[in-house]
Amino acid sequence: MTDQTPSGTLPGDLPARPPRRLGRRGTVQLVMLALLLVLPVAADLLGHPYYVTLASRLTLIAMAAVGLNLALGYGGMVSFGHAAYFGLGGYVAGIGAYHAFDATAFMGMFPGSDNLLVLWPIAMLACGLLALLIGAVSLRTSGVYFIMITLAFAQMVYYFANSWPTYGGQDGLPIYIRNQLPGLDTQDPLTFFLICFAGLVLAMALTSRLMGSRFGAALTMARLNDTRLATAGITPYPVRLVSFVISAMITGLAGALYADLNGFVSPSMLSWHMSGELMVIVILGGVGRLYGPLAGAVLYISMETLLGGLTEYWQLFLGLTLLGVVLFARHGVMGWLAGREPHG
Amino acid sequence: MAEAVLALEGLHKRFGALTATDDVSLTLRPGEIHALIGPNGAGKSTLIAQIAGSLRPDAGRILLGGEEITGLSVAARARRGLGRSFQVSSLAEPLPAIRNVMIGVQAQAGHSFRFWKPAERDPRLIEPALAALARMGLAHRAWTPVAELSHGERRALEVACALAMKPRALLLDEPMAGLGPEGSARLTELLESLRLEVPILLIEHDMQAVFRLAERISVLVAGRVIAHGDGDTIRRDPQVRDAYLGE
Ligand SMILES: Nc1ncnc2c1ncn2[C@@H]1O[C@H](COP(=O)(O)OP(=O)(O)O)[C@@H](O)[C@H]1O
Ligand SMILES: [Mg+2]
């Protein structure tokens, strides 16, 4: 038996494990992040706030997709209802600002707030609870049924927002003054971009850490082979549910920031188009890859901005690109740029 | 006689008009390999599925270490010490072999809701997993993706996955299927070495392996145990020769 065991099985000197290097993948990822940070700073210095705001939008869409990627990519749960969390996060920011502006109270009980340090945790909490509810029901099903049930729940939230006149109903709710972060000028486009950038990087770091942990190992196994997971002694359902909740909280935080970026929140943030857009971005970028959502968002926003200016049928090209990715580049843009993931 | 590690009491299972398990009672004692043989379609895999919890019996009880587990989920039974291998390998193909084994170690430790510390290089997971792999002669393949393993290596890996859970009883469903004589002989030897560590309920078609390994043999035909005893008793049983050994 000892002849089978590679030498050096002591902790810290683990056997036969391929060493880690930055490599092509690491380089591509580093360059992507660096560009995302440097270009908006340059645009700001050159006096083009439009591009700074565009970069903020891209960053937040990517962050929302990072949330979805945890469920869809890493967990194999094809949620077609993540707009519910994106929009709910947005409405928390909007409703908080509305009551702070009016000096009234939410449902006659809770005073408004324009402090982001208050709004963000509330947005995440609200999205976490909603996802707990939706996930607890939806995760009893799988496959097409799961897709349809998550969609159905999101549509319920959408119609609810549409028909609640206090917060603008279908007209939406303006945020007259961007919510505040103590010590920073959130009105400044570059400052706000840097907040968004920090949010994206944190969400990605959290995902990376999570997926490397024991929980991540269980979630990976739930996606690849849930029979193996259960046979090993871990019930798949709670593992999926917890990751679904975390996923929704990330997307919800992105939504809160997105409402502040636009100074506006409306049911369109909750619509199934939004859910679809996030799915498309995750798939374009590379399902279950850490930088996939960012790559997907770059491609999506680029096409929307460049082609959208030329033709209103730009989504036709988006569709063709998606088709190409699904048929020929199963690992998405990141797979194409950076090669395959080592495993998992 | 030592108390049975695993006991089945009057199990029944029907699929529509088909009776797949017909009043099956049997035990697995410490230190023994108990073989379950029978023709294809006899209901052997169905029986394993009921013991492991992926199928509910219509009637009867299952006891592990004297405690009833009949109503428990697959995962709960596994945590109580029931290890299983499948007739058709069920592994996570893209992952390295060791990650398939580590998940069992992790489940055993009961720490799957830890979100922060890296697991992939955690020696508390890796070392027991490597030990289980080494037990099955697979230590040198630890970091090879399952998809690149040979059929024989996968069969052994499934057993390693079960071993890593420190099981009180092992259920192996045709572990030698498709191995060829050499692979069968090798796996037979490995199972032989496990006997004192963990009792095994072994389903197997390879009669040479069965007669060599098993203290006791039960013969299942059309869901029913038609004969039961040691190797010689089974070899001589006219009913068994008729129904199964085909002599
Ligand atoms: N889920 C199921 N539904 C209906 N029939 C089944 C199911 N599983 C097994 N069977 C039938 O039960 C019988 C026993 O199957 P199985 O336990 O796989 O036999 P063995 O493992 O002994 O070859 C077979 O006739 C099979 O077709
Ligand atoms: Mg079978």
Side-chain angles (χ1 to χ4, degrees), chain A residues 32-327:
Chain A
M32 281 171 69
L33 267 193
L35 284 179
L36 180 60
L37 182 59
V38 168
L39 290 180
V41 173
D44 189 67
L45 288 175
L46 296 172
H48 293 293
Y50 165 80
Y51 288 108
V52 180
T53 301
L54 185 68
S56 297
R57 192 166 111 72
L58 187 157
T59 304
L60 293 178
I61 294 286
M63 181 176 165
V66 166
L68 176 61
N69 195 30
L70 184 60
L72 191 159
Y74 292 102
M77 295 168 274
V78 185
S79 165
F80 195 3
H82 259 51
Y85 316 113
F86 192 64
L88 179 57
Y91 269 97
V92 169
I95 292 172
Y98 170 86
H99 287 297
F101 192 75
D102 268 18
T104 50
F106 175 65
M107 302 179 79
M109 278 184 293
F110 309 102
S113 171
D114 62 357
N115 185 344
L116 287 169
L117 294 179
V118 174
L119 293 172
W120 287 342
I122 294 176
M124 291 175 71
L125 193 70
C127 290
L129 286 174
L130 182 64
L132 190 65
L133 197 85
I134 294 179
V137 177
S138 314
L139 286 169
R140 307 241 168 235
T141 68
S142 61
V144 177
Y145 299 100
F146 181 80
I147 300 175
M148 287 301 131
I149 289 185
T150 50
L151 172 64
F153 273 116
Q155 287 302 94
M156 280 165 59
V157 177
Y158 171 80
Y159 285 113
F160 181 78
N162 248 310
S163 55
W164 199 4
T166 320
Y167 301 114
Q170 60 186 5
D171 297 331
L173 189 63
I175 300 175
Y176 295 113
I177 302 166
R178 198 172 275 169
N179 290 308
Q180 303 297 311
L181 202 57
L184 292 175
D185 175 16
T186 53
Q187 295 285 2
D188 174 55
L190 187 63
T191 304
F192 195 75
F193 166 76
L194 292 172
I195 294 169
C196 300
F197 183 77
L200 173 67
V201 170
L202 274 178
M204 287 167 64
L206 177 77
T207 304
S208 165
R209 199 74 205 205
L210 206 62
M211 290 317 296
S213 72
R214 291 187 180 206
F215 178 78
L219 184 63
T220 302
M221 196 55 86
R223 165 173 55 92
L224 292 173
N225 188 338
D226 62 353
T227 305
R228 167 60 49 206
L229 186 66
T231 304
I234 300 171
T235 312
Y237 178 80
V239 172
R240 290 205 174 100
L241 185 56
V242 167
S243 74
F244 190 76
V245 167
I246 298 172
S247 153
M249 289 167 79
I250 295 172
T251 301
L253 182 57
L257 282 160
Y258 196 75
D260 259 322
L261 174 69
N262 296 329
F264 182 64
V265 53
S266 77
S268 72
M269 267 180 82
L270 293 161
S271 78
W272 67 268
H273 298 98
M274 191 68 228
S275 296
E277 192 176 313
L278 292 177
M279 279 172 80
V280 165
I281 285 167
V282 168
I283 295 166
L284 278 180
V287 171
R289 304 198 51 143
L290 189 56
Y291 282 72
L294 176 54
V298 168
L299 188 62
Y300 187 94
I301 300 287
S302 305
M303 290 184 82
E304 184 188 57
T305 313
L306 300 176
L307 296 173
L310 300 175
T311 163
E312 58 180 302
Y313 300 113
W314 72 274
Q315 294 207 338
L316 177 67
F317 296 96
L318 179 72
L320 289 174
T321 311
L322 188 63
L323 205 64
V325 164
V326 171
L327 290 179

Side-chain angles (χ1 to χ4, degrees), chain B residues 18-188:
Chain B
L18 178 83
T19 304
T21 305
D22 190 0
D23 195 22
V24 171
S25 298
L26 55 82
T27 60
L28 184 64
R29 298 181 197 136
E32 82 165 339
I33 295 180
H34 185 157
L36 187 64
I37 64 173
N40 276 327
K44 304 182 297 294
S45 296
T46 303
L47 192 63
I48 294 283
Q50 289 170 77
I51 303 172
S54 42
L55 263 183
R56 283 287 137 93
D58 298 333
R61 302 200 312 156
I62 302 160
L63 296 102
L64 183 65
E67 287 173 53
E68 178 155 5
I69 57 166
T70 323
L72 298 183
S73 71
V74 172
R77 290 178 203 212
R79 282 196 297 274
R80 289 198 178 200
L82 211 50
R84 172 193 194 182
S85 83
F86 293 85
Q87 184 171 352
V88 178
S89 297
S90 183
L91 296 158
E93 298 281 325
L95 296 185
I98 195 168
R99 292 267 311 258
N100 283 267
V101 184
M102 280 161 72
I103 202 79
V105 181
Q106 176 179 323
Q108 187 60 30
H111 295 151
S112 286
F113 288 88
R114 293 202 172 165
F115 301 93
W116 200 246
K117 276 221 206 112
E120 207 184 359
R121 321 200 108 211
D122 185 345
R124 282 167 305 174
L125 296 180
I126 288 182
E127 280 172 11
L130 268 180
L133 284 166
R135 206 84 177 66
M136 297 309 292
L138 282 175
H140 64 297
R141 300 290 262 167
W143 299 102
T144 308
V146 173
E148 291 168 25
L149 296 182
S150 73
H151 175 70
E153 287 171 329
R154 283 160 189 245
R155 301 307 297 172
L157 175 57
E158 280 227 338
V159 181
C161 288
L163 276 182
M165 298 157 55
K166 300 248 170 293
R168 293 154 79 183
L170 268 187
L171 314 169
L172 304 183
D173 195 348
E174 300 196 23
M176 320 215 176
L179 282 194
E182 213 170 293
S184 282
R186 206 169 122 69
L187 192 55
T188 304

